[in-house]
Amino acid sequence: MSRIQIGKITGAHGIKGEVKVLSQSQDAGLLFRKDGVFTASEGGLIVKLIARTENKPSMFISKIEGVTDRNEAEKFTNTPLYIDRDDLPQTDDGEFYLNDLVGLTVVTPEGKNLGTIMSIQNFGASDLIDVQSPEGKNNFMPLAEPFLVEIDMEAGHVVMQEIEVMP
């Protein structure tokens, strides 16, 4: 069973063991499930987060069940948070999760193979696909218009305008 990253503990907050939690999901409630969330894509701990306040959009101040002081909380700094893929809500027709794009082929409108999507990243501005070319080079491409032409899940490919890559 695969896991999907839905958030990240970005650091400690205060002296009573609270942490700052960044939600990377449209449904931040997934972070605060009674069954907890995983701290690794495989294995790892299960932590139960108790929501306290929303500090700013997608950022929460929370408690980790069992953590009572800042020193313990700091051990979780930069910890990614995952849930099992099967625990995500079902998507409607025509909808998908970004992680579902990993492994799809990227082609131009003319059918030229640009490579395979290795991961999805977001460094703050927008979602980027990490595309590994047939030659083994990795390039980031914006997953947005005017570059994105079409996502065809049934055909197993994403149609993108070719972007000139700097040497």
Side-chain angles (χ1 to χ4, degrees):
M1 183 178 309
S2 66
R3 293 182 184 161
I4 304 293
Q5 185 173 347
I6 59 166
K8 180 178 184 178
I9 297 173
T10 61
H13 178 81
I15 61 171
K16 296 182 180 179
E18 294 173 314
V19 292
K20 294 179 272 185
V21 179
L22 173 67
S23 173
Q24 296 170 317
S25 170
Q26 282 187 316
D27 181 2
L30 293 171
L31 290 165
F32 307 104
R33 301 168 350 126
K34 64 179 174 136
D35 295 337
V37 292
F38 297 96
T39 60
S41 60
E42 293 181 15
L45 302 172
I46 296 176
V47 295
K48 293 182 181 179
L49 297 171
I50 303 153
R52 193 184 111 208
T53 59
E54 187 170 345
N55 194 20
K56 54 186 172 181
S58 302
M59 182 67 77
F60 296 85
I61 304 301
S62 304
K63 287 279 292 173
I64 298 173
E65 190 175 277
V67 173
T68 58
D69 66 43
R70 184 177 182 91
N71 291 336
E72 288 180 70
E74 285 177 342
K75 294 176 185 173
F76 289 92
T77 297
N78 293 320
T79 298
L81 302 170
Y82 299 84
I83 63 171
D84 286 326
R85 171 68 170 89
D86 292 343
D87 289 342
L88 290 172
Q90 289 293 102
T91 57
D92 293 330
D93 286 343
E95 291 183 332
F96 55 87
Y97 288 105
L98 287 176
N99 199 57
D100 295 340
L101 300 177
V102 174
L104 296 185
T105 303
V106 178
V107 297
T108 65
E110 298 76 33
K112 178 182 176 186
N113 181 3
L114 298 178
T116 303
I117 299 175
M118 305 306 290
S119 67
I120 312 291
Q121 301 293 329
N122 188 316
F123 301 109
S126 67
D127 293 318
L128 301 171
I129 53 175
D130 177 10
V131 179
Q132 186 174 63
S133 72
E135 297 80 34
K137 287 187 162 186
N138 285 60
N139 297 298
F140 285 110
M141 299 178 78
L143 194 59
E145 293 180 345
F147 308 104
L148 175 64
V149 176
E150 175 187 29
I151 297 173
D152 189 338
M153 297 300 287
E154 285 187 30
H157 65 246
V158 175
V159 181
M160 300 282 293
Q161 294 293 340
E162 191 167 8
I163 298 172
E164 193 171 315
V165 179
M166 297 179 66

